[in-house]
Amino acid sequence: MNNLILIKYGELTTKKSNRNTFIKLLATNIKKILTDEEFNIKFDRVRMYIECNNVNSVIEKLKNVFGIHGIVICHKVNTNIEDIKQKVLELLIKENFESFKINTRRADKSFEVHSMELNNIIGGYILKNIKSRVDVHNPDILVTIEIRVEGTFIYTNEIKGLGGYPVGIQGKGMLMLSGGIDSPVAGYLSLKRGVDLECLYFESPPHTSLEAKNKVIKLASIINSYSGNIKVNVVPFTKLQEAIYKNVPDSYVITIMRRMMYRIAEKLSIKNNCKVIINGESIGQVASQTLTSMGVINSVTNFPVIRPVACMDKLEIIEISKKIKTYETSILPYEDCCTIFLPTHPVINPDMNKCLNYEMSFNYEQLINECIENIEVITNLKQQEFNDLL
Ligand code: ATP
Ligand code: MG
């Protein structure tokens, strides 16, 4: 394998006591995302190195891994001045720049030339061979030379990593995933903070179509490229939803329906070891997302709920959804169970007692249990296999 990539850790370096756990999990996550590649991985407390053949495709995949701060393609040479000089020249001659800086780090103190001295030797050699100047404060190009026991590593440009924490370090959350714009973004933001995901989708066939379900699966497969572990629980919601429409006045159907969704999300989270429910609610966006509505809906559970996009404007959410490539799928026009039979005047300040009374008029607990018993679980969400789903 003739390429070497160096991974710089992100925010995890601040968590001193958990450092080893973080690094090991990051390595596991990287291995998972590189299953189709030939590679070797080595790591210590400071850095991680990946040897591979297909450097470009490996780097594209590493760009999707949370917990990576920077990615650099390293060039390994023997630790002697002549080899270092030649390699730095070979790298810089391909670049377009006016100023540069050489930054040597001498981790292997047995190498007799000190850092400053090596900076001068290599810098002088470059000045002699390439028309340029040294700028130590704001160089166009920074050349880093790391003298280590196993050899000398030379690199120039650093590719920015995603940052965040390794996925799974916080355990798992249950993402309520609809086909809209907001919930996939909420999922992505949770993954970024180290929360792995399981998804929960409520479908109401024949009122909702197979396309609507496939759209959700495709969205899950896109966010799965940041995790590798995601599965989708498809909940058959038709009977419960029909019972709600039969027993509850029009203006309250959405409120009651969402209270049922939360009840099911709680039960499934406990069953499947998820520590938190996650959804794409955003304050004030629709009638069920006023603070009063959110309070009345949330009151059915004590389970923690996070709403990563709660305080974002729609345009900010759209910007993220474009960046993470869920937007094009999210805007496909398939009906969700929240949008079918939408009442003309959904209540925006629902009354808790009314909700409790309406709910007493039918046996929803039995229907909730049926929903959970009949869940369809979809796994193996490799993104490329779902590209043509819609
Ligand atoms: P989104 O753009 O994510 O669909 P939205 O603005 O359309 O959100 P709602 O339809 O009120 O808002 O839904 C709010 C949140 O409830 C969604 O972001 C999602 O987390 C969850 N949700 C709604 N419908 C479903 C569903 N059919 N299955 C699972 N979760 C759902
Ligand atoms: Mg929606």
Side-chain angles (χ1 to χ4, degrees):
M1 282 183 261
N2 45 15
N3 290 292
L4 188 71
I5 295 167
L6 180 153
I7 306 277
K8 294 185 173 177
Y9 305 141
E11 206 174 324
L12 60 95
T13 51
T14 57
K15 298 269 182 271
K16 287 222 164 53
S17 54
N18 292 331
R19 204 175 162 114
N20 281 342
T21 323
F22 273 66
I23 294 168
K24 276 191 194 145
L25 181 61
L26 180 62
T28 309
N29 290 352
I30 289 175
K31 283 180 199 162
K32 215 179 299 163
I33 224 133
L34 295 183
T35 42
D36 297 336
E37 304 285 344
E38 254 184 81
F39 69 99
N40 281 323
I41 190 164
K42 277 190 213 149
F43 56 89
D44 58 32
R45 287 174 63 79
V46 194
R47 295 288 156 80
M48 189 173 287
Y49 295 100
I50 297 175
E51 286 177 321
C52 64
N53 284 328
N54 200 348
V55 71
N56 290 334
S57 104
V58 167
I59 284 184
E60 277 317 300
K61 288 173 183 158
L62 292 175
K63 283 186 190 167
N64 274 3
V65 179
F66 288 115
I68 295 180
H69 180 74
I71 306 165
V72 268
I73 303 175
C74 296
H75 304 268
K76 188 176 174 185
V77 295
N78 293 328
T79 303
N80 67 65
I81 292 179
E82 224 21 66
D83 284 10
I84 298 172
K85 268 184 182 171
Q86 291 317 322
K87 185 49 96 179
V88 175
L89 181 63
E90 182 191 317
L91 291 175
L92 288 192
I93 217 137
K94 296 184 214 149
E95 302 283 343
N96 192 2
F97 67 100
E98 283 176 12
S99 61
F100 70 95
K101 175 183 174 180
I102 308 285
N103 178 25
T104 302
R105 286 196 210 137
R106 199 169 56 110
D108 176 12
K109 300 289 182 212
S110 71
F111 183 58
E112 68 283 4
V113 185
H114 287 209
S115 304
M116 284 302 280
E117 213 179 325
L118 193 70
N119 287 347
N120 290 337
I121 295 171
I122 306 297
Y125 185 68
I126 297 303
L127 288 172
K128 220 188 282 166
N129 287 282
I130 303 175
K131 191 169 171 287
S132 58
R133 64 189 162 80
V134 172
D135 183 340
V136 291
H137 300 297
N138 195 17
D140 293 338
I141 199 159
L142 174 68
V143 181
T144 305
I145 302 173
E146 291 194 8
I147 315 277
R148 304 175 76 86
V149 180
E150 62 271 34
T152 292
F153 295 95
I154 302 172
Y155 54 89
T156 52
N157 302 332
E158 179 170 328
I159 301 159
K160 210 163 174 282
L162 269 187
Y165 291 142
V167 167
I169 199 80
Q170 293 287 344
K172 219 171 29 167
M174 183 63 75
L175 172 67
M176 296 167 68
L177 182 64
S178 64
I181 294 170
D182 308 325
S183 46
V185 171
Y188 169 86
L189 292 173
S190 309
L191 289 167
K192 180 169 178 136
R193 298 313 291 167
V195 183
D196 208 350
L197 299 177
E198 211 170 280
C199 301
L200 172 58
Y201 168 61
F202 298 91
E203 68 160 353
S204 293
H207 313 300
T208 58
S209 60
L210 181 63
E211 280 93 346
K213 174 181 173 184
N214 284 343
K215 179 179 168 184
V216 170
I217 295 170
K218 186 167 175 185
L219 287 169
S221 79
I222 297 173
I223 49 176
N224 190 46
S225 63
Y226 301 94
S227 157
N229 293 323
I230 295 179
K231 61 177 183 177
V232 181
N233 298 281
V234 182
V235 179
F237 202 49
T238 314
K239 267 171 92 179
L240 180 52
Q241 193 170 8
E242 285 172 353
I244 295 169
Y245 279 87
K246 203 169 125 204
N247 293 290
V248 175
D250 244 24
S251 60
Y252 268 75
V253 288
I254 297 286
T255 313
I256 303 296
M257 189 173 82
R258 298 196 61 77
R259 283 164 61 90
M260 299 299 167
M261 286 181 169
Y262 270 59
R263 289 182 171 110
I264 292 171
E266 180 200 72
K267 278 186 193 271
L268 195 65
S269 297
I270 294 168
K271 188 169 165 219
N272 292 5
N273 250 329
C274 293
K275 295 180 183 170
V276 66
I277 296 169
I278 301 159
N279 65 38
E281 288 173 347
S282 176
I283 300 168
Q285 204 184 76
V286 287
S288 60
Q289 292 167 27
T290 62
L291 287 183
T292 313
S293 281
M294 282 161 79
V296 169
I297 291 163
N298 203 155
S299 70
V300 299
T301 176
N302 287 323
F303 208 75
V305 180
I306 56 169
R307 302 170 176 84
V309 303
C311 297
M312 287 186 192
D313 291 349
K314 193 75 187 185
L315 286 177
E316 293 174 286
I317 303 172
I318 288 175
E319 205 176 299
I320 300 177
S321 79
K322 285 185 176 162
K323 192 181 89 183
I324 65 173
K325 309 231 161 36
T326 50
Y327 182 73
E328 293 301 324
T329 306
S330 288
I331 57 172
L332 295 172
Y334 304 117
E335 295 280 327
D336 180 54
C337 69
C338 284
T339 47
I340 48 170
F341 320 125
L342 201 64
T344 20
H345 297 293
V347 60
I348 47 177
N349 282 311
D351 178 86
M352 185 78 83
N353 287 326
K354 283 189 181 167
C355 289
L356 296 172
N357 280 334
Y358 299 144
E359 286 173 354
M360 274 199 298
S361 67
F362 66 109
N363 186 357
Y364 67 83
E365 268 157 24
Q366 162 76 23
L367 292 167
I368 282 182
N369 288 338
E370 267 183 49
C371 282
I372 292 181
E373 279 158 24
N374 293 302
I375 282 175
E376 176 196 2
V377 182
I378 299 170
T379 51
N380 268 332
L381 291 168
K382 271 200 175 175
Q383 197 190 334
Q384 56 273 34
E385 287 165 28
F386 290 87
N387 277 344
D388 301 326
L389 199 58
L390 290 167

